[in-house]
Every structure is written in structure tokens, then in C-alpha cells.
């Protein structure tokens, strides 16, 4: 950090004596832009140079650091008259969202339009960071026609949202390209190896994380974003190199909450872009593929926060410095970045021209939100449930990060949609419940994140169609069309661990409890868990309750329970003191129904053949939430002998050759028979059906379908929709007495992203732990031909083999690490050795 500021200071001293003519990126870097990929540290140097050269027009800020400790940068660019009052502009704009300042029409005219340009959220979509440098230069160079726009705008530039992924790609490409680039698509420089540069350090797609904030880059960016709340936000991407260029207006479906003005401005932007592209003879398309629905994108999240959010997509993934596309043309890095510069500048141009309307509509958006709310629901009520309190607290932490307001309820009766039953019901509100009213500045975001079912104007979507937070967090909730009265500010339950001389009980109800148990196990503390429920000292405990007893922990001495209590308070874990091993109901603590809990040695397969995003979800969960060690093994080089060092092997989603046949599985099967435990996630579980283990894929039941003799070729993509699900939520019946179901109330909300589902396991070959009901999905799109197959099948189960077992989950229970409700299932498979 000190070096960063010293470098900036030296630049300011050098250039502060006289405003030298601004160097172009090519002149500064020493090579023509587009002839090399620029690594992040040189991008940073250029940004620092520009800010030091033109301090009256540019401010540079480091707003955070990546997992690999690279700088996250942010520039504010405007006319000198605006930059001198930049903080005033920012605060005034925020006041429009909160209503803390009422401004008349004349006052609004003095507020510049705020345009935020985000580049390179996917690291291997490499042209956009190059474009960020040239866009900055074109705005500020002497004689530029763009300067006049800066009188009416403040332009905010994030030159690279994902420096770790970008440098991973740039460093790899530089290592394989020759003296001249090879445009043949078969050349190795166009065959990026696993995991690729698209994702961040933990292999997460940061463009799916704007709302969920699972990643450190997202968390820091949203904090900055919400301190500005721009009027226009553009997320610049690349798509396959055979595609031309995509820009707004977006494709359907649009979420119904999107305003007419937000739709119109997209059309105005598109028309201006088209003018420039037509002049240059560049191909483009609009209103296709990229919709405005899923709330965690770099276009939709801004839209639901009052902005004009847009995605721009340049053809170029895998293109390197140049590639021959299917039309026989050579697509170069320079051409790609030039297209992005054109749309970036065109966006600023239109925003400057419509500055007054942008500001007025932005103010109106939030005034309507605060006074009327948005959408059909007026309130969302999260019911108090001590067993789910950890999930509730985690959700409220997320709401805090987004500035969403909530309070406790007051004693009342209301009528609303019960998320669990999908029916309108009368229910009681208590002071322990959390009430979120939609009449607030964040009305649109609240409505989108909490509505039980998202209305689809078109089922052909780019991403999942269901994400409602009460389902994602497994909470008992209601959505009501009447406003529920709020009470006091919500406060978490106080945590004060009572003293004990015998032991503590840890309720196994959340990943937070699992993380605490993992900490104790790593410290060498001996734990036990109860297979069945029990009652002691008048309190009932559910199956899976962890016992922290003096027995077998005598080596810790008299300070043992003091240490346990201190750690529990540190992690806000509620422990219940125990006075005896004799219980009133259930099994005493010395029973064979109470088992030792051991610290498993865990391996995760990674590399070619696995899906990097899924591997990243598991890796991130271990390191950043569970705080438990995991060893990543390379799928292409690991041997069966390696497994002797591990107790648990995790298979993230992917295609595994050793699951292709009984013969290839033989070595892993012997390891399982000897006591090993295999955890198989998502579509990888479908491969288990090949192994004669008693597990069978449920087949489609379309025998009665008639062939449609008049299907049209032009409808072929839409016809395929009938056989898929684009992210739907299902309530499944869960056997809470089985160790995989510990900590759950007898059901689970599963997010399905494909059609994988199994027949019931028969003849005692395994356990059917989680099964769908016959009622169809609670939310999200499911094709008409697929839904009958998904009704009444097995999604979660376990196959005992010798002294070990295979736990399988047909759905990805760690999906994007925002599906909190699934994480305890994973912990159950990890820590409980069911036999």
C-alpha cells in the first residue's frame, strides 16, 4: 500500500509542474495497444499516470484487494468544475435515493449524469481492460470531441473487476504464443487449459455474484457501488469468437418490475451504437439471448437499483491476439477493443445528451419506491425459528450489505402466501419475526429477491428462473399483499455460554455449527454425536446433536470448558450445558447410538474433466466458510494409491472416466469398501447409474407423446425448452433420521438446474433420503415434457458399500455458494459416517 501511494505521489510531483500532453496507452506502454495483452500491474501504472497527469479531471482510488492481493481500481473522470465538487455530487445523488434531500427540477439540472463502466469481470474476455485504457485516453486527450460530454457526466471506470482471472489468462497466453500469433483456431494459444481465466481465484463467476456477495471482490465492489448509485451502468464482456457484437436493448424476458423509462433508454442507447457500427460496417445484434431477469448480473443488479443496466458482448473468447472465425475473417484483439471503446463512448454521449432526464427518472424511481413500493407484495415476513436462527442472521447480513431495511414484527394476524405450502393462508405475526416492507428505497431489489414466483414473459432465459431467498436459506416465510406493521429494530439473540462441569450439547442446525465442530476436531478435541433424539434436563435435542464432554478430553485439564466457552462466544455459537450422561428419553451418552465424531481427511478432485466452477464452490466452502482443510488432487494424475491418505473423496460436477464402467471404478470401489466415503455432487451423480450399485436414472415417460408433424425449424430452440429446467425450486421430503438429513425439519428446498433424478433404491441396497413430491415445482420454469419425470423421484441418497458409503446429490447443493440451505447436507456427508 505504501509503495502504491509513493508511486502516485512521485507521478504527481513530476507532472504537476506542467500539464504535459497526455500519452496514449500505446506510447506509455511501449507497444501498440492490441498487439499484446497488458498485465494488470501495467494497467494500474497507466491509470496512475493519467490520474497524476490530469488531477483536475481524474481521481483514482484503490477500493479493495483480490484474493491474490491485486489492486481493485476505480477512476472518476469529469470536467474540472465537477471533479472539484465530486464528493458533493456523490452525496447529493445518494440523497435522491433516500429522500433525505428534496430537489426541484432546476436543482436536478445541476447534477451530472453518473455513468459507471465495468470491464473484464471474466478474466479471459481480455479485450475489455485494453478498451478501458483507450476509453480513458479518448475522454481526456487534447482535442478530443468527448470533452464536452464530461460537463454533463461523471464517468466512473473499473478497468478490471477480476484481476486474478485476467492475469491467469494473460500470463498463460504470453507463455504459449509465438513470435507472431497464430490465427488458426486449432493452435494451442486458442485452447486455454483448466480452469481458464474466466473465474476468480476460487473459480467463481463474478458476474453471477452481484446479489449474493459470496466473493471478496463482489463484497468490496458492492460497497463502493452503493456509495455512488450510478444512473447508467455497463458491463463489458466477450462472447464466442464467431459471434459479432451484442448491445442493448436486451432480450425478453424482462422482469415485470423494470420501468418503461429503463426500457426506453436501452432503445436510445442501441440506436446510437447502431449508428456508429453502421458507419464502420461492423455487424451486431440486439434483443437476443441476453435478458434482464436473474438479479445477480452486472446489468440486472443495477437495473433493480434504479440504474440503466446493460451488457455489451464482443465476440472474442479464445481469440487471443487474432483468430480466423467461421466467416474466414481474422478477428484481432485491436478490432475487439475498438468496438468496446466505441460503445463505451457512445454510452457516455447519450447519457450526456439526456442528463436531465436520467437524473429526473432516477429520482422518480426512488420516490415511487419509498412512497408506493414496487411489485404486488407489500411485506415479507420471516418467521422466528430458533433452529434456523443462524440462517436468518446470515440472510440479514446480506440484506445489510445491500442497504435493505427490515425490522421486527408486532403482534398481529395477516394473510399471505406461505412459501412452504404455496398457498394463501392466515398467519400470526410476532415480535420475534422479521418484517421487510417494500415501501423503501430498495423496493425493487426486495421484490425481486423475495417474491415466491418470478413471472416469466418468456421461458427462454439465459440463467436460472428461481432464486427466492426464503427458499435459498430454508426459512419459514410469508409474502403478503397487505402492509404488515413493523416494530422495533431487529437485534440478534445475545450469546452467553453458561458454565458446566460435565459437557455441552451443540445443536447441529447450520453450517455455522459444523464450522465450530470442525474447529474443535482440528484442535484435537474428542466429540460424539447422538444418532437419535434425546431429552435431558427438560430439553429435547434432535438427531445429530454434537456432545462436547469431559470424557476422553481430560488432557485439556481444568481449563477445557473455559476454552470451549470462549470459542463459542467468539463464533456466536449457542451451547447448552449438560449435567449428566443419563437422559430422560432416548439413549444415554454411553449407548452405541452415540458415536464418535472424527476429523476426516478430505480430498477434492480437480483439473481437466471436472467443472471448475463446481470445484471452486467446494474449495471456497471448505476454506472460507467451514475453515477446514481440503487437498485438491489432479484428476488426470491421481492414483488409487493416493486415496489411502484420505477418508473422504469429493467429486464436484464433471465427467469422471473412472465412473464410466464397473471395471474402471474397481479401485475406488475397493477404497470405499475399506471405509472410504465418496461424496458425488450434481450431474456427476448420474454416472453412478452405470456401476451396478442399485442406482438407476429415472427415465422420461413420454411414450404417449405424438410426433408433431408441423414443428417448424425456426422454433427448434424453443421446442427444446420442453425438456429442460432453467433453475427451478422443489420441496423434497427428507428423512431427518438419516445422518444425511440431520439438522433439517423433514423437508428441503432443492434448486434443480437439470433433469437428473433417480428411481427409488430397492432391495436394501441403499437409502432414499430425499425425494420429490408429486406436486411439481414451487418456483421456476420446468419444461412440460420434463416435469412428469421429476415428480416423485430420488434426489438425495446413500449407497452403503462394505465399511464405507457413497453419498449422492442429484442437484448441486453448493450452487454458486448462495444456496445456503444445501450446505448442511454437504457437512452431514462429510462428518457423519453412517453405518
Amino acid at each position: 500500500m505504501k509503495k502504491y501511494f509513493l508511486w502516485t505521489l512521485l507521478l504527481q510531483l513530476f507532472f504537476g509542474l506542467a500539464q504535459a500532453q497526455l500519452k496514449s496507452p500505446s506510447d506509455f506502454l511501449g507497444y501498440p495497444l492490441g498487439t499484446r495483452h497488458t498485465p494488470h500491474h501495467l494497467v494500474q501504472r497507466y491509470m496512475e499516470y493519467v490520474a497524476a497527469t490530469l488531477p483536475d479531471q481524474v481521481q483514482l482510488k484503490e477500493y479493495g484487494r483480490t484474493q491474490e492481493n491485486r489492486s481493485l481500481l476505480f477512476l472518476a473522470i469529469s470536467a474540472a468544475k465537477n471533479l472539484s465538487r465530486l464528493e458533493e455530487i456523490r452525496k447529493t445523488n445518494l440523497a435522491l435515493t433516500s429522500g433525505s434531500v428534496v430537489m426541484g427540477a432546476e436543482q436536478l439540472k445541476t447534477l451530472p449524469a453518473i455513468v459507471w463502466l465495468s470491464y473484464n469481470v471474466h478474466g479471459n474476455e481480455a479485450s475489455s481492460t485494453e478498451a478501458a485504457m483507450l476509453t480513458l485516453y479518448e475522454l481526456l486527450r487534447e482535442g478530443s470531441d468527448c470533452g464536452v460530454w464530461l460537463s454533463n457526466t461523471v464517468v466512473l471506470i473499473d478497468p478490471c473487476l477480476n484481476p486474478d482471472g485476467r492475469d491467469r489468462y494473460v500470463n498463460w497466453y504470453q507463455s504459449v504464443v509465438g513470435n507472431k500469433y497464430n490465427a488458426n483456431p486449432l493452435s494451442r494459444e486458442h485452447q486455454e487449459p483448466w480452469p481458464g481465466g474466466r473465474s476468480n481465484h476460487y473459480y467463481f463467476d463474478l458476474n453471477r455474484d452481484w446479489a449474493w456477495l459470496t466473493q471478496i471482490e463482489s463484497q468490496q465492489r458492492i460497497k463502493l457501488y452503493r456509495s455512488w448509485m450510478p444512473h447508467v451502468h455497463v458491463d463489458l464482456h466477450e462472447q464466442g469468437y464467431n459471434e459479432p457484437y451484442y448491445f442493448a436493448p436486451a432480450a425478453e424476458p424482462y422482469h415485470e418490475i423494470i420501468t418503461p423509462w429503463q426500457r426506453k433508454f436501452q432503445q436510445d442507447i442501441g440506436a446510437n451504437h447502431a449508428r456508429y457500427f453502421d458507419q464502420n460496417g461492423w455487424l451486431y445484434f440486439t434483443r437476443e439471448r441476453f435478458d434482464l431477469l436473474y438479479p445477480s448480473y452486472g446489468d440486472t443488479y443495477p437495473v433493480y437499483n434504479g440504474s440503466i443496466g446493460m451488457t455489451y458482448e464482443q465476440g472474442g473468447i479464445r481469440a487471443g491476439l487474432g483468430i480466423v472465425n467461421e466467416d474466414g475473417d481474422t478477428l484481432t484483439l485491436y478490432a475487439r477493443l475498438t468496438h468496446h471503446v466505441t460503445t463505451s463512448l457512445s454510452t457516455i454521449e447519450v447519457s450526456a445528451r439526456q442528463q436531465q432526464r436520467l437524473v429526473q427518472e432516477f429520482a422518480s424511481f426512488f420516490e415511487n419506491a419509498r412512497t408506493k413500493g414496487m411489485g404486488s407484495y407489500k411485506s415479507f415476513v420471516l418467521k422466528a425459528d430458533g433452529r434456523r436462527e443462524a440462517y436468518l442472521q446470515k440472510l440479514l447480513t446480506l440484506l445489510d450489505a445491500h442497504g435493505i431495511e427490515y425490522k421486527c414484527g408486532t403482534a398481529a394476524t395477516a394473510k399471505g402466501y406461505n412459501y412452504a405450502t404455496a398457498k394463501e393462508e392466515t398467519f400470526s405475526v410476532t415480535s420475534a419475526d422479521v418484517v421487510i416492507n417494500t415501501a423503501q428505497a430498495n423496493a425493487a431489489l426486495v421484490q425481486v429477491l423475495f417474491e415466491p414466483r418470478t413471472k416469466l414473459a418468456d421461458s427462454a432465459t439465459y440463467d436460472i428462473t428461481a432464486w427466492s431467498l426464503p427458499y435459498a436459506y430454508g426459512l419459514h416465510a410469508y409474502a403478503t399483499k397487505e402492509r404488515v406493521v413493523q416494530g422495533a429494530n431487529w437485534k440478534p439473540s445475545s450469546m452467553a455460554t453458561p458454565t458446566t462441569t460435565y459437557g455441552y450439547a451443540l445443536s447441529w442446525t447450520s453450517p455455522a455449527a459444523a464450522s465450530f465442530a470442525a474447529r474443535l476436531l482440528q484442535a484435537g478435541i474428542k466429540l460424539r454425536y447422538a444418532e437419535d433424539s434425546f431429552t435431558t434436563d427438560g430439553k429435547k435435542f434432535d438427531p445429530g446433536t454434537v456432545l462436547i464432554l469431559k470424557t476422553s478430553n481430560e488432557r485439556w485439564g481444568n481449563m477445557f470448558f473455559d476454552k470451549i466457552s470462549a470459542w463459542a462466544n467468539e463464533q456466536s455459537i449457542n451451547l447448552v450445558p449438560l449435567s449428566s450422561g443419563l437422559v430422560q428419553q432416548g439413549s444415554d451418552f454411553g449407548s452405541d447410538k452415540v458415536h464418535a465424531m472424527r476429523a476426516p481427511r478430505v480430498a477434492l478432485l480437480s483439473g481437466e474433466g471436472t467443472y471448475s466452477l463446481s470445484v471452486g464452490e467446494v474449495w471456497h466452502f471448505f476454506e472460507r466458510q467451514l475453515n477446514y482443510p481440503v487437498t485438491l488432487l489432479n484428476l488426470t494424475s491421481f492414483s488409487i494409491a493416493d486415496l489411502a491418505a484420505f477418508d473422504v473423496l469429493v467429486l464436484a460436477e464433471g465427467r469422471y472416466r473412472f465412473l464410466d464402467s464397473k471395471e474402471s471404478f474397481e479401485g475406488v470401489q475397493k477404497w470405499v469398501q475399506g471405509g472410504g466415503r465418496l461424496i458425488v455432487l450434481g450431474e456427476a451423480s448420474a454416472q453412478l447409474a452405470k456401476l451396478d450399485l442399485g442406482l438407476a436414472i429415472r427415465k422420461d415417460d413420454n411414450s404417449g407423446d405424438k410426433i408433431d408433424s408441423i414443428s417448424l425449424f425456426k422454433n427448434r430452440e424453443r421446442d427444446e425448452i420442453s425438456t429442460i429446467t432453467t433453475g427451478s425450486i422443489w420441496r423434497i421430503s427428507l428423512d431427518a433420521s438419516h445422518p444425511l438429513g440431520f439438522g433439517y425439519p423433514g423437508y428441503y428446498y432443492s434448486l434443480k438446474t437439470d433433469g437428473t433424478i433417480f428411481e427409488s433404491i430397492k432391495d436394501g441396497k441403499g437409502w432414499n433420503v430425499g425425494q420429490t413430491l408429486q406436486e411439481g415445482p414451487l418456483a421456476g420454469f420446468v419444461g412440460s415434457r420434463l416435469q412428469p419425470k421429476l415428480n416423485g423421484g430420488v434426489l438425495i441418497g446413500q449407497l452403503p458399500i462394505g465399511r464405507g458409503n457413497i453419498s449422492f446429490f442429484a442437484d448441486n447443493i453448493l450452487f454458486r455458494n448462495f444456496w445456503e440451505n444445501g450446505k448442511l447436507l454437504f457437512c452431514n456427508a462429510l462428518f457423519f459416517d453412517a453405518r
Side-chain angles (χ1 to χ4, degrees), residues 570-780:
E570 181 183 313
Q571 293 185 222
S572 298
I573 296 296
N574 185 29
L575 297 179
V576 179
L578 300 169
S579 61
S580 170
L582 181 66
V583 302
Q584 284 79 57
Q585 290 183 346
S587 300
D588 296 329
F589 297 163
S591 166
D592 60 6
K593 295 294 183 70
V594 177
H595 308 277
M597 189 177 190
R598 296 180 175 85
R601 301 165 298 169
V602 187
L604 167 65
L605 290 185
S606 63
E608 297 292 347
T610 66
Y611 298 166
S612 62
L613 297 179
S614 182
V615 170
E617 289 159 359
V618 179
W619 182 25
H620 183 268
F621 178 66
F622 270 101
E623 290 204 344
R624 306 298 294 182
Q625 190 164 352
L626 197 57
N627 298 310
Y628 194 80
V630 61
T631 300
L632 274 69
L633 302 177
N634 196 318
L635 175 59
T636 58
S637 60
F638 100 101
S639 68
I640 301 302
D642 296 333
L643 294 182
F646 301 99
D647 306 300
V648 175
L649 178 63
V650 181
L651 305 187
E653 294 196 277
R655 296 292 300 175
Y656 298 88
R657 290 184 178 179
F658 65 82
L659 295 182
D660 282 342
S661 67
K662 292 190 293 183
E663 292 73 22
S664 57
F665 183 62
E666 184 176 354
V668 175
Q669 184 169 356
K670 287 182 178 179
W671 171 78
V672 174
Q673 289 171 332
R677 285 178 282 147
L678 192 64
I679 302 175
V680 188
L681 301 179
E683 65 179 72
S685 64
Q687 290 187 264
L688 297 175
K690 304 176 182 179
L691 306 178
D692 194 23
L693 300 173
L695 190 63
I697 292 287
R698 200 168 199 209
K699 297 180 180 179
D700 296 315
D701 183 16
N702 296 312
S703 57
D705 290 354
K706 296 181 180 180
I707 298 176
D708 187 352
S709 60
I710 58 172
S711 291
L712 300 179
F713 178 77
K714 68 178 183 179
N715 294 332
R716 63 194 183 281
E717 292 184 3
R718 189 164 297 280
D719 291 342
E720 292 176 0
I721 293 175
S722 66
T723 63
I724 66 172
T725 176
T726 50
S728 55
I729 298 171
W730 295 71
R731 178 182 166 116
I732 68 174
S733 173
L734 199 66
D735 179 1
S737 71
H738 190 280
L740 285 185
F742 283 174
Y744 286 87
Y747 60 87
Y748 165 68
Y749 300 122
S750 193
L751 179 66
K752 284 208 68 63
T753 57
D754 64 24
T756 303
I757 194 166
F758 300 97
E759 298 286 1
S760 293
I761 305 170
K762 299 177 181 178
D763 301 325
K765 292 185 176 181
W767 300 101
N768 301 303
V769 180
Q771 302 181 70
T772 58
L773 306 177
Q774 296 287 345
E775 302 164 356
L778 290 167

Side-chain angles (χ1 to χ4, degrees), residues 363-375:
S364 296
F365 180 95
F366 286 98
E367 182 180 3
N368 290 335
R370 294 189 308 271
T371 58
K372 303 176 184 178
M374 291 186 179

Side-chain angles (χ1 to χ4, degrees), residues 65-190:
R65 289 271 173 166
T66 68
Q67 182 64 34
E68 297 176 16
N69 204 35
R70 292 182 176 87
S71 296
L72 293 166
L73 302 175
F74 176 76
L75 297 98
I77 307 102
S78 192
K81 66 175 184 178
N82 294 328
L83 209 72
S84 64
R85 62 185 189 101
L86 188 64
E87 185 64 6
E88 174 193 336
I89 290 171
R90 185 187 70 81
K91 289 182 177 179
T92 301
N93 187 61
L94 284 183
L96 295 180
T97 68
S98 66
S100 59
V101 174
V102 179
M103 300 179 66
E106 291 302 315
Q107 291 175 296
L108 290 177
K109 291 180 181 179
T110 66
L111 189 66
I114 301 174
V115 181
W116 185 314
L117 304 176
S118 291
Y119 298 89
N120 231 145
V121 69
H122 294 147
N124 60 0
E125 298 174 11
S127 69
S128 62
T129 288
E130 312 290 342
M133 291 189 286
L134 189 54
T135 298
L136 178 64
Y137 173 71
E138 289 295 331
L139 282 173
L140 297 168
R141 67 176 173 82
E142 186 176 342
S144 171
D145 296 333
C146 306
V148 65
W149 304 336
L150 297 180
S151 295
N152 289 344
T153 61
V154 171
V155 179
L156 308 175
I157 291 180
D158 186 335
C160 186
L161 281 69
N162 181 12
D164 292 350
R166 176 179 170 81
D167 268 6
R168 186 189 310 136
Y169 172 76
V170 169
N171 292 334
W172 166 78
Y173 186 84
Q174 296 289 78
S175 73
V176 296
V177 70
N179 188 43
K180 295 181 179 180
Y181 71 80
N182 188 331
N184 188 331
L186 298 177
S187 174
R188 68 171 182 168
E189 65 200 70
H190 305 299

